[in-house]
């Protein structure tokens, strides 16, 4: 189903309205113009220019290597394509942790150079000073708690987070801290479903889950995972809606065969 031109543009205020009305929020990642144009036309509410571009676009094993300049490039490409969705851009590793002035400078660069709508960063109390400084400049901030991929070397694993009571309570406290600071939404990644439901019920701002159960206010997936372009990654929370890896591979194999057999181009495909 395509989106008509008179459909309301998604803003942070619109997301708050959606939560208040019990309307679920659909969010996917995007890194380039062509994909973003399709996702936006399909009616996606939020497009995340994720630092997962480090994995799916550049082939790195983690999100850590991607730079601020690279994130801005991807964000510019996505923003050019979008007519309706809210565009959120990840602040990459090293651009906000431990230095709130650098965090603000990084966020300002993203907003000025890409014309995106908001930024996202990982962490709670540890980064609250950076969150507050960015918000003080009028830049909307989305939080991210639970499994935080930029901290992979700290945790050493991508396993489910906050299963123990102490970590779960800290997550709840951090979520409240982010809301009080002024974040417009929070992503919860790979935590028990019951904890996701609790956070969504306690907070007034939208809670977007990725492996956080169905009791939150919306869901986000990496587009390349959801469409089956990547095929090695199969966590429990992932539903594949397509198997593009095999379909694209088969199409290329057919093209190679047709070229080598001189079947392509045929008489109708040349001048």
């Amino acid at each position: 189903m395509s989106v008509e031109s008179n459909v309301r543009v998604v803003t942070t205020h619109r997301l708050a309205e959606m939560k208040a009305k019990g309307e679920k929020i659909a969010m996917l990642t995007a890194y380039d113009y062509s994909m973003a144009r399709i996702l936006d036309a399909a009616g996606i509410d939020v497009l995340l220019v994720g630092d997962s571009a480090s994995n799916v676009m550049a082939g790195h094993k983690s999100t850590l290597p991607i730079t601020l300049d690279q994130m801005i490039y991807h964000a510019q490409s996505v923003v050019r394509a979008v007519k309706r969705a809210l565009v959120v851009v990840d602040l990459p590793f090293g651009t906000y942790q431990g230095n709130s002035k650098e965090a603000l400078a990084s966020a300002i660069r993203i907003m000025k150079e890409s014309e995106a709508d908001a930024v996202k960063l990982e962490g709670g109390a540890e980064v609250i000073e950076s969150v507050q400084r960015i918000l003080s400049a009028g830049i909307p901030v989305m939080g991210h708690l639970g499994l935080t991929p930029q901290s992979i070397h700290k945790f050493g694993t991508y396993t489910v987070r906050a299963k123990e009571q102490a970590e779960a309570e800290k997550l709840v406290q951090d979520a409240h801290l982010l809301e009080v600071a002024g974040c417009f939404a929070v992503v919860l990644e790979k935590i028990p479903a019951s904890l996701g439901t609790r956070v969504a019920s306690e907070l007034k701002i939208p809670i977007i889950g990725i492996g956080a159960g169905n009791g939150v206010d919306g869901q986000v997936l990496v587009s390349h995972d959801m469409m089956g372009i990547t095929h090695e990654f199969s966590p429990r929370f992932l539903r594949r809606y397509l198997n593009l890896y095999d379909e694209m591979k088969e199409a290329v194999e057919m093209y190679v065969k047709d070229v080598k057999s001189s079947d392509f181009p045929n008489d109708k495909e040349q001048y």
Side-chain angles (χ1 to χ4, degrees):
M1 181 182 71
S2 62
V3 178
E4 298 297 331
S5 59
N6 60 352
V7 172
R8 291 177 63 188
V9 172
V10 180
T11 63
T12 57
H13 178 69
R14 170 75 179 119
L15 295 182
E17 286 183 340
M18 291 171 73
K19 167 152 184 164
K21 294 177 181 178
E23 179 183 351
K24 296 286 188 176
I25 298 164
M27 177 171 166
L28 285 171
T29 61
Y31 319 100
D32 66 88
Y33 175 87
S34 297
M35 180 74 82
R37 190 177 182 187
I38 296 170
L39 300 178
D40 187 59
I44 204 72
D45 298 311
V46 183
L47 284 176
L48 172 64
V49 184
D51 57 3
S52 47
S54 181
N55 307 98
V56 300
M57 301 299 287
H60 294 295
K61 292 182 179 179
S62 75
T63 62
L64 273 62
I66 199 164
T67 67
L68 181 60
D69 285 342
Q70 290 168 333
M71 288 300 302
I72 289 171
Y73 165 78
H74 287 296
Q76 290 170 336
S77 302
V78 169
V79 169
R80 291 187 195 107
V82 170
K83 295 181 179 179
R84 176 184 178 271
L86 184 83
V87 178
V88 181
V89 184
D90 269 335
L91 281 168
F93 176 74
T95 63
Y96 63 92
Q97 296 97 335
N99 188 331
S100 62
K101 290 184 179 179
E102 183 173 359
L104 177 58
S106 301
I108 288 174
R109 277 201 63 198
I110 286 175
M111 299 298 286
K112 285 179 68 70
E113 296 179 37
S114 76
E115 299 185 82
D117 300 304
V119 298
K120 181 171 79 64
L121 49 77
E122 298 178 2
E126 306 83 1
V127 298
I128 197 64
E129 185 178 336
S130 292
V131 171
Q132 291 168 333
R133 191 176 284 268
I134 294 170
L135 286 165
S136 72
I139 299 172
V141 176
M142 175 181 281
H144 185 147
L145 299 170
L147 175 62
T148 48
Q150 291 181 10
S151 301
I152 182 57
H153 293 307
K154 173 183 175 181
F155 297 126
T157 175
Y158 288 105
T159 190
V160 177
R161 305 304 312 174
K163 291 190 292 184
E164 302 299 327
Q165 184 174 355
E167 187 178 352
E169 290 302 324
K170 183 183 185 310
L171 185 146
V172 173
Q173 293 172 9
D174 281 341
H176 281 283
L177 193 63
L178 292 172
E179 180 178 48
V180 170
C183 288
F184 71 90
V186 175
V187 169
L188 297 181
E189 181 169 357
K190 213 168 184 182
I191 63 169
S194 58
L195 182 58
T197 300
R198 176 186 170 186
V199 174
S201 65
E202 290 188 12
L203 269 65
K204 295 180 180 179
I205 60 175
I207 304 300
I208 311 298
I210 176 167
N214 197 33
V216 292
D217 304 302
Q219 302 293 330
V220 59
L221 287 175
V222 172
S223 296
H224 288 60
D225 298 335
M226 183 271 282
M227 296 181 185
I229 297 173
T230 56
H231 65 294
E232 305 92 346
F233 182 67
S234 297
R236 180 185 297 184
F237 64 75
L238 174 61
R239 181 183 294 182
R240 296 196 194 280
Y241 287 79
L242 289 171
N243 185 13
L244 287 184
Y245 179 90
D246 287 342
E247 292 184 26
M248 293 171 71
K249 180 171 173 285
E250 182 179 349
V252 174
E253 288 171 345
M254 292 174 61
Y255 170 74
V256 170
K257 176 178 176 293
D258 290 348
V259 169
K260 291 186 178 294
S261 67
S262 296
D263 181 70
F264 175 78
N266 60 31
D267 291 343
K268 295 180 179 180
E269 294 165 333
Q270 53 191 326
Y271 299 97

